[in-house]
Amino acid sequence: MTEPCTLVIFGATGNLAQLKLLPSLYHLEGAGLLPGDLRIVCSGRTDYSPETWRQQVRDILAQHARDPLAADSCDRFCQRLHYLRGDLAQPETFEQLATLLRGREFPDNHVFYVSLPPVTYGGLIESLDRNGMLAEDGAWRRVVIEKPFGFSLESAQNLQHKISRHLREDQTYRIDHYMGKAMVQNVLVSRFANLMLEPLWNRNYIDHVQIMRTEKLGVGRRAGFYEDTGALRDMLQSHLMQLMALVAMEPPVSMDADDLRDEKVKVLKSVRPIHPAAVDAQAFRAQYARGRIDGVQVPGYLEEPGVDPHSVTETYAALKLYIDNWRWRDVPFYLRTGKRMAEARTMVAICFKQPPKHFFRSSHIERPPPNWLIMSIAPEESLRLEISVKEPGLEMKTRQISLDAPFRCEHEARTDAYEGLLLDVMEGDRSLFLRYDEVEWAWRIVDPVLGVWATERDFVPSHAAGEWEPKEVSRIFDKEHHRWRHLLDPG
């Protein structure tokens, strides 16, 4: 059980709080995992009375909780809630919050969750400190910051300079919700708990690595955010870069926070810098155009509400990276992400090298395809190994078969990534949160690409919504590496 604490959610009336944070806290309540004395202060600009807000939360939970609401759990959860109306641009809002938190009913340990646009981070943290809410006098203070942490290397450095004047690094919890997904954590377990994989996990046996995250959805109501962000910043610089680090890292000394993060930083520092002249060979971007998803006609990106009709913001991004260390020298890592694709899929695919000798040449058999290890993160959670075997019958023919292992049994409940991460914050476990040097080195990798793309504003390739991927992306792939669709449907 964690220590008693007060959780303050800035932006409690926004999408993230309503879709993820409040339902996750409710699920933890139902599981009996919240501290008994936890109090939740929800801050927003809408004018709610305490009872009106509690009813609003009940409506939110009825819509977004995994299962039908349990009356007792819902009642207990709502009793923890307090609502504070205020404009965060006004100093008196923070004065009111400081006065509120000094009340007897609120435990002295405080978590501040900033569920707001990134441009607000620096000023909000400064206001908390100015009103004495970050001072630790026999109690701890922790601040959770959502991604993106900056929009470029320079902006990330400037933001860090601002917040480091008010927060220590051990008080700062930079959240990447992908790190809370069970199957992402299973990448670590699969690697380091199975001795048979370790001898093969290097450049001598692995041909290349593909990490992908695609979705069927478009930008929806996020056009304002997405126009300033794009796929490279939104997904690749954060989520996929973290997955790459987990796949490529050396075994940590322990699973303590800094030991784990030290090894991830070593990977990011080892990524071969992309020279501006090499951007076209190692990076690709595109936008989705009008097309069909599941048989339904959908608009192109430039037709979405709030999107500049001349926008060159990418909705698809792909990178080819090399990690220049002893284990991975000259092994390509392909990272790609896109909206309005044929399937919603997140996976890590490890392609092994083919045997050095073609033993079946005399039997006129085609060279068997390579072995693959596929870690599927979404929609299903599974491990799959693809190997070659002999076909039944008298002729010497081979075929590929899949050895599938689902991660979760049917009776085992799913949990949301935010549930574990919220508990980790309250317990002070920083293992799955990003340290600043991780963020900075990830920006160093993509910054040259962003710089070149910022100057190339005349044309962005497009692809029809519902396609598997833009055809032109094959230019950044070596050999036959771009042929990956069979991984989605081995049958």
Side-chain angles (χ1 to χ4, degrees), residues 203-258:
R203 59 190 170 90
N204 296 322
Y205 296 96
I206 292 178
D207 183 68
H208 70 279
V209 178
Q210 300 200 30
I211 301 173
M212 65 179 292
R213 198 273 188 181
T214 60
E215 56 184 319
K216 293 182 179 181
L217 298 175
V219 294
R221 294 182 295 176
R222 300 176 71 217
F225 165 80
Y226 210 82
E227 273 286 84
D228 294 329
T229 307
L232 187 63
R233 290 183 176 95
D234 187 35
M235 291 297 305
L236 207 148
Q237 182 272 342
S238 53
H239 302 327
L240 300 194
M241 209 73 75
Q242 285 292 311
L243 277 173
M244 182 186 73
L246 293 179
V247 170
M249 64 187 278
E250 296 297 321
V253 174
S254 74
M255 290 303 290
D256 289 342
D258 281 330

Short mmCIF file of all heavy atoms in Angstrom, two decimals, residues 203-258:
data_model
loop_
_atom_site.label_atom_id
_atom_site.label_comp_id
_atom_site.label_asym_id
_atom_site.label_seq_id
_atom_site.Cartn_x
_atom_site.Cartn_y
_atom_site.Cartn_z
N ARG A 203 24.29 -8.64 -33.76
CA ARG A 203 24.49 -8.46 -35.20
C ARG A 203 24.93 -9.74 -35.91
O ARG A 203 24.83 -9.82 -37.14
CB ARG A 203 25.54 -7.38 -35.43
CG ARG A 203 26.91 -7.68 -34.80
CD ARG A 203 27.81 -6.45 -34.86
NE ARG A 203 29.01 -6.62 -34.06
CZ ARG A 203 30.14 -7.13 -34.51
NH1 ARG A 203 30.22 -7.54 -35.77
NH2 ARG A 203 31.19 -7.25 -33.72
N ASN A 204 25.40 -10.74 -35.18
CA ASN A 204 25.82 -11.98 -35.83
C ASN A 204 24.63 -12.80 -36.32
O ASN A 204 24.77 -13.60 -37.25
CB ASN A 204 26.66 -12.82 -34.86
CG ASN A 204 27.96 -12.13 -34.48
OD1 ASN A 204 28.58 -11.48 -35.31
ND2 ASN A 204 28.34 -12.25 -33.21
N TYR A 205 23.48 -12.63 -35.69
CA TYR A 205 22.32 -13.47 -36.02
C TYR A 205 21.09 -12.68 -36.46
O TYR A 205 20.22 -13.25 -37.11
CB TYR A 205 21.95 -14.33 -34.80
CG TYR A 205 23.03 -15.32 -34.43
CD1 TYR A 205 23.97 -15.01 -33.44
CD2 TYR A 205 23.15 -16.53 -35.10
CE1 TYR A 205 24.98 -15.89 -33.12
CE2 TYR A 205 24.15 -17.42 -34.79
CZ TYR A 205 25.07 -17.10 -33.80
OH TYR A 205 26.08 -17.98 -33.50
N ILE A 206 21.02 -11.40 -36.10
CA ILE A 206 19.84 -10.61 -36.45
C ILE A 206 20.14 -9.77 -37.68
O ILE A 206 21.14 -9.05 -37.73
CB ILE A 206 19.40 -9.73 -35.26
CG1 ILE A 206 18.85 -10.63 -34.14
CG2 ILE A 206 18.35 -8.71 -35.69
CD1 ILE A 206 18.44 -9.90 -32.89
N ASP A 207 19.27 -9.87 -38.67
CA ASP A 207 19.44 -9.16 -39.93
C ASP A 207 18.96 -7.71 -39.81
O ASP A 207 19.64 -6.78 -40.22
CB ASP A 207 18.67 -9.87 -41.04
CG ASP A 207 18.86 -9.22 -42.39
OD1 ASP A 207 19.97 -9.28 -42.92
OD2 ASP A 207 17.87 -8.65 -42.91
N HIS A 208 17.76 -7.52 -39.26
CA HIS A 208 17.23 -6.18 -39.05
C HIS A 208 16.07 -6.25 -38.07
O HIS A 208 15.57 -7.34 -37.76
CB HIS A 208 16.80 -5.52 -40.37
CG HIS A 208 15.58 -6.12 -40.99
ND1 HIS A 208 15.60 -7.26 -41.75
CD2 HIS A 208 14.26 -5.73 -40.97
CE1 HIS A 208 14.39 -7.55 -42.18
NE2 HIS A 208 13.55 -6.63 -41.72
N VAL A 209 15.64 -5.09 -37.59
CA VAL A 209 14.56 -4.98 -36.61
C VAL A 209 13.54 -3.97 -37.15
O VAL A 209 13.92 -2.90 -37.64
CB VAL A 209 15.09 -4.51 -35.24
CG1 VAL A 209 13.93 -4.36 -34.24
CG2 VAL A 209 16.14 -5.48 -34.71
N GLN A 210 12.25 -4.34 -37.06
CA GLN A 210 11.19 -3.43 -37.48
C GLN A 210 10.28 -3.15 -36.29
O GLN A 210 9.82 -4.08 -35.61
CB GLN A 210 10.37 -4.03 -38.63
CG GLN A 210 11.21 -4.34 -39.86
CD GLN A 210 10.38 -4.48 -41.11
OE1 GLN A 210 9.34 -3.83 -41.24
NE2 GLN A 210 10.85 -5.28 -42.05
N ILE A 211 10.03 -1.87 -36.04
CA ILE A 211 9.16 -1.44 -34.95
C ILE A 211 8.09 -0.54 -35.57
O ILE A 211 8.42 0.45 -36.22
CB ILE A 211 9.93 -0.69 -33.86
CG1 ILE A 211 11.05 -1.58 -33.30
CG2 ILE A 211 9.00 -0.22 -32.74
CD1 ILE A 211 11.98 -0.87 -32.33
N MET A 212 6.84 -0.91 -35.41
CA MET A 212 5.78 -0.16 -36.08
C MET A 212 4.60 0.09 -35.17
O MET A 212 4.32 -0.69 -34.25
CB MET A 212 5.30 -0.88 -37.34
CG MET A 212 4.62 -2.22 -37.08
SD MET A 212 4.04 -3.02 -38.60
CE MET A 212 2.75 -1.91 -39.10
N ARG A 213 3.93 1.20 -35.43
CA ARG A 213 2.69 1.52 -34.75
C ARG A 213 1.80 2.23 -35.76
O ARG A 213 2.09 3.35 -36.17
CB ARG A 213 2.96 2.41 -33.54
CG ARG A 213 1.82 2.45 -32.52
CD ARG A 213 0.78 3.47 -32.81
NE ARG A 213 -0.18 3.60 -31.71
CZ ARG A 213 -1.21 4.42 -31.71
NH1 ARG A 213 -1.44 5.21 -32.76
NH2 ARG A 213 -2.03 4.49 -30.68
N THR A 214 0.75 1.57 -36.20
CA THR A 214 -0.18 2.15 -37.16
C THR A 214 -1.57 2.20 -36.56
O THR A 214 -1.88 1.43 -35.64
CB THR A 214 -0.21 1.35 -38.47
OG1 THR A 214 -0.63 0.00 -38.19
CG2 THR A 214 1.16 1.31 -39.13
N GLU A 215 -2.41 3.07 -37.08
CA GLU A 215 -3.78 3.17 -36.59
C GLU A 215 -4.71 3.52 -37.74
O GLU A 215 -4.29 4.09 -38.75
CB GLU A 215 -3.89 4.21 -35.48
CG GLU A 215 -3.39 5.59 -35.83
CD GLU A 215 -3.44 6.55 -34.64
OE1 GLU A 215 -4.43 6.51 -33.90
OE2 GLU A 215 -2.49 7.32 -34.47
N LYS A 216 -5.98 3.15 -37.56
CA LYS A 216 -6.98 3.46 -38.58
C LYS A 216 -7.54 4.87 -38.43
O LYS A 216 -8.05 5.43 -39.38
CB LYS A 216 -8.14 2.45 -38.49
CG LYS A 216 -7.78 1.02 -38.86
CD LYS A 216 -9.02 0.13 -38.77
CE LYS A 216 -8.71 -1.30 -39.17
NZ LYS A 216 -9.92 -2.15 -39.10
N LEU A 217 -7.45 5.42 -37.25
CA LEU A 217 -8.04 6.72 -36.98
C LEU A 217 -7.29 7.84 -37.69
O LEU A 217 -6.08 7.74 -37.92
CB LEU A 217 -8.05 6.99 -35.47
CG LEU A 217 -8.87 6.03 -34.61
CD1 LEU A 217 -8.68 6.37 -33.14
CD2 LEU A 217 -10.35 6.09 -34.98
N GLY A 218 -8.01 8.92 -37.98
CA GLY A 218 -7.38 10.13 -38.47
C GLY A 218 -7.08 11.06 -37.31
O GLY A 218 -7.03 10.64 -36.16
N VAL A 219 -6.90 12.35 -37.61
CA VAL A 219 -6.56 13.29 -36.54
C VAL A 219 -7.78 13.66 -35.70
O VAL A 219 -7.63 14.15 -34.58
CB VAL A 219 -5.91 14.57 -37.11
CG1 VAL A 219 -4.58 14.24 -37.72
CG2 VAL A 219 -6.81 15.26 -38.10
N GLY A 220 -8.98 13.44 -36.22
CA GLY A 220 -10.18 13.74 -35.46
C GLY A 220 -10.23 15.20 -35.02
O GLY A 220 -10.03 16.11 -35.82
N ARG A 221 -10.42 15.40 -33.70
CA ARG A 221 -10.50 16.76 -33.17
C ARG A 221 -9.16 17.30 -32.70
O ARG A 221 -9.09 18.34 -32.05
CB ARG A 221 -11.51 16.79 -32.01
CG ARG A 221 -12.95 16.51 -32.43
CD ARG A 221 -13.90 16.59 -31.25
NE ARG A 221 -13.63 15.55 -30.26
CZ ARG A 221 -14.26 15.44 -29.09
NH1 ARG A 221 -15.19 16.34 -28.78
NH2 ARG A 221 -13.98 14.47 -28.26
N ARG A 222 -8.08 16.59 -33.02
CA ARG A 222 -6.75 17.00 -32.56
C ARG A 222 -5.98 17.78 -33.61
O ARG A 222 -4.76 17.90 -33.53
CB ARG A 222 -5.94 15.76 -32.15
CG ARG A 222 -6.55 14.93 -31.04
CD ARG A 222 -5.70 13.70 -30.79
NE ARG A 222 -4.43 14.01 -30.18
CZ ARG A 222 -3.30 13.38 -30.47
NH1 ARG A 222 -3.27 12.44 -31.39
NH2 ARG A 222 -2.18 13.69 -29.85
N ALA A 223 -6.66 18.34 -34.61
CA ALA A 223 -5.95 19.02 -35.70
C ALA A 223 -5.08 20.16 -35.18
O ALA A 223 -3.95 20.35 -35.66
CB ALA A 223 -6.94 19.53 -36.73
N GLY A 224 -5.58 20.92 -34.21
CA GLY A 224 -4.80 22.03 -33.68
C GLY A 224 -3.48 21.56 -33.09
O GLY A 224 -2.43 22.19 -33.31
N PHE A 225 -3.52 20.47 -32.34
CA PHE A 225 -2.29 19.89 -31.79
C PHE A 225 -1.44 19.26 -32.87
O PHE A 225 -0.23 19.47 -32.94
CB PHE A 225 -2.65 18.84 -30.72
CG PHE A 225 -1.51 17.94 -30.33
CD1 PHE A 225 -0.54 18.37 -29.45
CD2 PHE A 225 -1.41 16.65 -30.87
CE1 PHE A 225 0.52 17.54 -29.10
CE2 PHE A 225 -0.36 15.82 -30.52
CZ PHE A 225 0.60 16.26 -29.63
N TYR A 226 -2.08 18.51 -33.77
CA TYR A 226 -1.33 17.71 -34.73
C TYR A 226 -0.62 18.58 -35.77
O TYR A 226 0.46 18.23 -36.23
CB TYR A 226 -2.26 16.70 -35.41
CG TYR A 226 -1.55 15.45 -35.83
CD1 TYR A 226 -1.31 14.44 -34.90
CD2 TYR A 226 -1.07 15.28 -37.12
CE1 TYR A 226 -0.64 13.28 -35.27
CE2 TYR A 226 -0.40 14.12 -37.49
CZ TYR A 226 -0.19 13.13 -36.56
OH TYR A 226 0.49 11.99 -36.91
N GLU A 227 -1.23 19.69 -36.14
CA GLU A 227 -0.61 20.58 -37.12
C GLU A 227 0.76 21.06 -36.65
O GLU A 227 1.67 21.25 -37.45
CB GLU A 227 -1.51 21.78 -37.41
CG GLU A 227 -2.55 21.56 -38.48
CD GLU A 227 -1.94 21.55 -39.86
OE1 GLU A 227 -1.44 20.49 -40.28
OE2 GLU A 227 -1.93 22.59 -40.52
N ASP A 228 0.93 21.26 -35.34
CA ASP A 228 2.21 21.70 -34.80
C ASP A 228 3.12 20.55 -34.41
O ASP A 228 4.26 20.79 -33.99
CB ASP A 228 1.97 22.58 -33.55
CG ASP A 228 1.26 23.88 -33.89
OD1 ASP A 228 1.46 24.39 -35.00
OD2 ASP A 228 0.49 24.37 -33.04
N THR A 229 2.63 19.33 -34.53
CA THR A 229 3.39 18.19 -34.02
C THR A 229 3.80 17.24 -35.13
O THR A 229 4.98 17.12 -35.45
CB THR A 229 2.56 17.44 -32.96
OG1 THR A 229 2.11 18.37 -31.97
CG2 THR A 229 3.38 16.36 -32.28
N GLY A 230 2.84 16.55 -35.74
CA GLY A 230 3.16 15.58 -36.79
C GLY A 230 3.54 14.23 -36.23
O GLY A 230 3.80 14.06 -35.02
N ALA A 231 3.58 13.24 -37.11
CA ALA A 231 3.80 11.85 -36.69
C ALA A 231 5.17 11.64 -36.09
O ALA A 231 5.34 10.84 -35.16
CB ALA A 231 3.58 10.92 -37.89
N LEU A 232 6.19 12.32 -36.61
CA LEU A 232 7.55 12.09 -36.12
C LEU A 232 7.67 12.50 -34.66
O LEU A 232 8.22 11.76 -33.84
CB LEU A 232 8.55 12.87 -36.98
CG LEU A 232 10.03 12.61 -36.69
CD1 LEU A 232 10.39 11.15 -36.97
CD2 LEU A 232 10.92 13.54 -37.50
N ARG A 233 7.14 13.67 -34.32
CA ARG A 233 7.20 14.12 -32.93
C ARG A 233 6.21 13.35 -32.04
O ARG A 233 6.52 13.00 -30.91
CB ARG A 233 6.86 15.61 -32.85
CG ARG A 233 7.91 16.56 -33.43
CD ARG A 233 7.45 17.99 -33.21
NE ARG A 233 8.42 18.97 -33.63
CZ ARG A 233 8.43 19.57 -34.82
NH1 ARG A 233 7.48 19.24 -35.71
NH2 ARG A 233 9.33 20.47 -35.13
N ASP A 234 5.01 13.12 -32.56
CA ASP A 234 3.92 12.57 -31.75
C ASP A 234 4.19 11.14 -31.32
O ASP A 234 3.93 10.76 -30.18
CB ASP A 234 2.61 12.65 -32.53
CG ASP A 234 1.41 12.26 -31.68
OD1 ASP A 234 1.41 12.57 -30.47
OD2 ASP A 234 0.48 11.64 -32.22
N MET A 235 4.69 10.32 -32.23
CA MET A 235 4.81 8.89 -31.94
C MET A 235 6.25 8.39 -32.00
O MET A 235 6.69 7.64 -31.14
CB MET A 235 3.97 8.09 -32.95
CG MET A 235 2.48 8.25 -32.79
SD MET A 235 1.86 7.64 -31.21
CE MET A 235 2.47 5.96 -31.23
N LEU A 236 6.98 8.78 -33.02
CA LEU A 236 8.27 8.13 -33.26
C LEU A 236 9.33 8.59 -32.28
O LEU A 236 10.09 7.77 -31.74
CB LEU A 236 8.69 8.41 -34.71
CG LEU A 236 9.61 7.38 -35.33
CD1 LEU A 236 9.36 7.26 -36.82
CD2 LEU A 236 11.06 7.75 -35.08
N GLN A 237 9.38 9.90 -32.02
CA GLN A 237 10.41 10.42 -31.10
C GLN A 237 10.22 9.91 -29.69
O GLN A 237 11.18 9.84 -28.93
CB GLN A 237 10.38 11.95 -31.14
CG GLN A 237 11.44 12.63 -30.27
CD GLN A 237 11.00 12.87 -28.84
OE1 GLN A 237 9.81 12.84 -28.53
NE2 GLN A 237 11.97 13.07 -27.95
N SER A 238 9.01 9.54 -29.33
CA SER A 238 8.72 9.12 -27.96
C SER A 238 8.50 7.62 -27.88
O SER A 238 9.39 6.84 -27.51
CB SER A 238 7.50 9.88 -27.44
OG SER A 238 6.39 9.75 -28.33
N HIS A 239 7.29 7.15 -28.26
CA HIS A 239 6.92 5.76 -28.04
C HIS A 239 7.86 4.79 -28.75
O HIS A 239 8.37 3.83 -28.14
CB HIS A 239 5.49 5.52 -28.54
CG HIS A 239 4.46 6.38 -27.89
ND1 HIS A 239 4.55 6.80 -26.59
CD2 HIS A 239 3.30 6.90 -28.36
CE1 HIS A 239 3.49 7.54 -26.28
NE2 HIS A 239 2.73 7.62 -27.33
N LEU A 240 8.07 4.98 -30.04
CA LEU A 240 8.85 3.99 -30.80
C LEU A 240 10.33 4.05 -30.44
O LEU A 240 11.02 3.03 -30.46
CB LEU A 240 8.64 4.19 -32.30
CG LEU A 240 7.20 4.07 -32.80
CD1 LEU A 240 7.17 3.95 -34.32
CD2 LEU A 240 6.49 2.88 -32.17
N MET A 241 10.82 5.24 -30.09
CA MET A 241 12.22 5.34 -29.66
C MET A 241 12.42 4.59 -28.35
O MET A 241 13.47 3.97 -28.12
CB MET A 241 12.61 6.80 -29.52
CG MET A 241 14.08 7.09 -29.75
SD MET A 241 14.57 7.00 -31.48
CE MET A 241 13.90 8.52 -32.12
N GLN A 242 11.42 4.64 -27.47
CA GLN A 242 11.52 3.90 -26.22
C GLN A 242 11.50 2.38 -26.48
O GLN A 242 12.26 1.63 -25.85
CB GLN A 242 10.36 4.28 -25.30
CG GLN A 242 10.52 5.64 -24.64
CD GLN A 242 11.65 5.66 -23.65
OE1 GLN A 242 11.76 4.79 -22.79
NE2 GLN A 242 12.51 6.65 -23.75
N LEU A 243 10.64 1.94 -27.40
CA LEU A 243 10.63 0.52 -27.74
C LEU A 243 11.97 0.08 -28.30
O LEU A 243 12.48 -0.99 -27.97
CB LEU A 243 9.52 0.25 -28.76
CG LEU A 243 8.11 0.05 -28.21
CD1 LEU A 243 7.10 -0.05 -29.35
CD2 LEU A 243 8.03 -1.20 -27.35
N MET A 244 12.56 0.89 -29.17
CA MET A 244 13.87 0.56 -29.72
C MET A 244 14.91 0.42 -28.62
O MET A 244 15.74 -0.50 -28.63
CB MET A 244 14.30 1.62 -30.73
CG MET A 244 15.64 1.33 -31.39
SD MET A 244 16.25 2.67 -32.45
CE MET A 244 16.73 3.88 -31.20
N ALA A 245 14.87 1.33 -27.66
CA ALA A 245 15.84 1.26 -26.57
C ALA A 245 15.68 -0.02 -25.75
O ALA A 245 16.67 -0.63 -25.34
CB ALA A 245 15.70 2.50 -25.67
N LEU A 246 14.43 -0.45 -25.51
CA LEU A 246 14.21 -1.68 -24.76
C LEU A 246 14.72 -2.89 -25.53
O LEU A 246 15.27 -3.84 -24.95
CB LEU A 246 12.72 -1.84 -24.45
CG LEU A 246 12.10 -0.84 -23.49
CD1 LEU A 246 10.62 -1.12 -23.33
CD2 LEU A 246 12.79 -0.85 -22.14
N VAL A 247 14.51 -2.90 -26.84
CA VAL A 247 14.96 -4.02 -27.66
C VAL A 247 16.49 -4.08 -27.70
O VAL A 247 17.08 -5.16 -27.66
CB VAL A 247 14.40 -3.91 -29.10
CG1 VAL A 247 15.06 -4.93 -30.03
CG2 VAL A 247 12.89 -4.10 -29.09
N ALA A 248 17.14 -2.92 -27.77
CA ALA A 248 18.58 -2.89 -28.06
C ALA A 248 19.46 -2.79 -26.82
O ALA A 248 20.67 -3.01 -26.92
CB ALA A 248 18.88 -1.71 -28.99
N MET A 249 18.92 -2.46 -25.65
CA MET A 249 19.73 -2.18 -24.49
C MET A 249 20.48 -3.41 -23.98
O MET A 249 20.09 -4.56 -24.22
CB MET A 249 18.86 -1.62 -23.37
CG MET A 249 17.81 -2.59 -22.85
SD MET A 249 16.67 -1.84 -21.68
CE MET A 249 17.64 -1.92 -20.18
N GLU A 250 21.55 -3.16 -23.26
CA GLU A 250 22.27 -4.22 -22.56
C GLU A 250 21.55 -4.56 -21.26
O GLU A 250 20.75 -3.76 -20.76
CB GLU A 250 23.70 -3.75 -22.25
CG GLU A 250 24.55 -3.47 -23.47
CD GLU A 250 24.78 -4.71 -24.32
OE1 GLU A 250 24.96 -5.80 -23.75
OE2 GLU A 250 24.77 -4.59 -25.56
N PRO A 251 21.80 -5.75 -20.71
CA PRO A 251 21.15 -6.09 -19.43
C PRO A 251 21.53 -5.09 -18.34
O PRO A 251 22.72 -4.83 -18.13
CB PRO A 251 21.72 -7.49 -19.11
CG PRO A 251 22.18 -8.02 -20.42
CD PRO A 251 22.63 -6.85 -21.23
N PRO A 252 20.54 -4.49 -17.67
CA PRO A 252 20.87 -3.54 -16.59
C PRO A 252 21.40 -4.28 -15.37
O PRO A 252 21.16 -5.48 -15.19
CB PRO A 252 19.54 -2.87 -16.30
CG PRO A 252 18.51 -3.87 -16.71
CD PRO A 252 19.09 -4.63 -17.86
N VAL A 253 22.12 -3.55 -14.54
CA VAL A 253 22.64 -4.14 -13.31
C VAL A 253 21.50 -4.61 -12.43
O VAL A 253 21.56 -5.65 -11.78
CB VAL A 253 23.52 -3.11 -12.57
CG1 VAL A 253 23.95 -3.65 -11.21
CG2 VAL A 253 24.74 -2.75 -13.41
N SER A 254 20.41 -3.83 -12.41
CA SER A 254 19.21 -4.19 -11.66
C SER A 254 18.03 -3.52 -12.35
O SER A 254 18.19 -2.79 -13.32
CB SER A 254 19.31 -3.72 -10.20
OG SER A 254 19.15 -2.31 -10.12
N MET A 255 16.83 -3.75 -11.83
CA MET A 255 15.65 -3.11 -12.39
C MET A 255 15.34 -1.80 -11.67
O MET A 255 14.26 -1.24 -11.84
CB MET A 255 14.45 -4.05 -12.31
CG MET A 255 14.55 -5.23 -13.27
SD MET A 255 14.73 -4.73 -14.99
CE MET A 255 13.11 -4.05 -15.31
N ASP A 256 16.29 -1.30 -10.88
CA ASP A 256 16.11 0.01 -10.27
C ASP A 256 16.03 1.07 -11.37
O ASP A 256 16.57 0.90 -12.47
CB ASP A 256 17.27 0.33 -9.33
CG ASP A 256 17.22 -0.51 -8.06
OD1 ASP A 256 16.15 -1.08 -7.78
OD2 ASP A 256 18.26 -0.61 -7.38
N ALA A 257 15.37 2.17 -11.04
CA ALA A 257 15.06 3.17 -12.05
C ALA A 257 16.28 3.66 -12.81
O ALA A 257 16.32 3.64 -14.05
CB ALA A 257 14.35 4.36 -11.38
N ASP A 258 17.32 4.08 -12.11
CA ASP A 258 18.46 4.66 -12.81
C ASP A 258 19.29 3.61 -13.54
O ASP A 258 19.85 3.90 -14.60
CB ASP A 258 19.33 5.46 -11.84
CG ASP A 258 18.73 6.83 -11.54
OD1 ASP A 258 18.04 7.38 -12.42
OD2 ASP A 258 18.93 7.34 -10.43
#
